[in-house]
């Protein structure tokens, strides 16, 4: 499984600073994007923060690490667990379309168990 997400990203003289500002404004959408990786666990991602020191940008490609709370909640089983996690995401700027594409890591999906 590999997830992607696209944001509008107009051309800029300082794309690193603009990316950090964009990620700060789009915390909820980043939470949805990252939650796709944990849906099989029944968890959601909240409080996404970008680590500004992790942002690497060479030309139109780069990477960034997001730190976030991973929340498992199930009222029936009386589970409410929260822990801090992080994930590195690749990014690609497209100046023609004025977008930035986030590309999550490849996670192997578990196949069905044999009976």
């Amino acid at each position: 499984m590999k997830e992607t997400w696209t944001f509008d990203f107009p051309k800029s003289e300082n794309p690193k600073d603009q990316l950090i500002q964009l990620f700060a404004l789009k915390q909820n959408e980043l939470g949805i994007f990252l939650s796709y990786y944990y849906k099989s666990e029944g968890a959601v991602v909240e409080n996404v923060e970008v680590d500004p020191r992790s942002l690497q940008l060479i030309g139109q490609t780069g990477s960034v690490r997001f730190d976030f709370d991973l929340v498992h909640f199930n009222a029936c089983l009386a589970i409410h667990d929260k822990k801090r996690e992080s994930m590195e995401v690749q990014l690609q700027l497209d100046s023609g379309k004025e977008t930035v594409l986030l590309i999550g890591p490849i996670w192997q999906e578990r196949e069905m168990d044999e009976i």
Side-chain angles (χ1 to χ4, degrees), residues 49-51 64 68 90:
E49 296 176 349
V50 63
D51 179 356
V64 65
F68 51 87
Q90 302 301 308

Side-chain angles (χ1 to χ4, degrees), residues 65-76:
R65 188 179 77 237
F66 294 110
D67 300 319
F68 51 87
D69 291 333
L70 183 62
V71 181
H72 291 85
F73 180 78
N74 185 317
C76 296

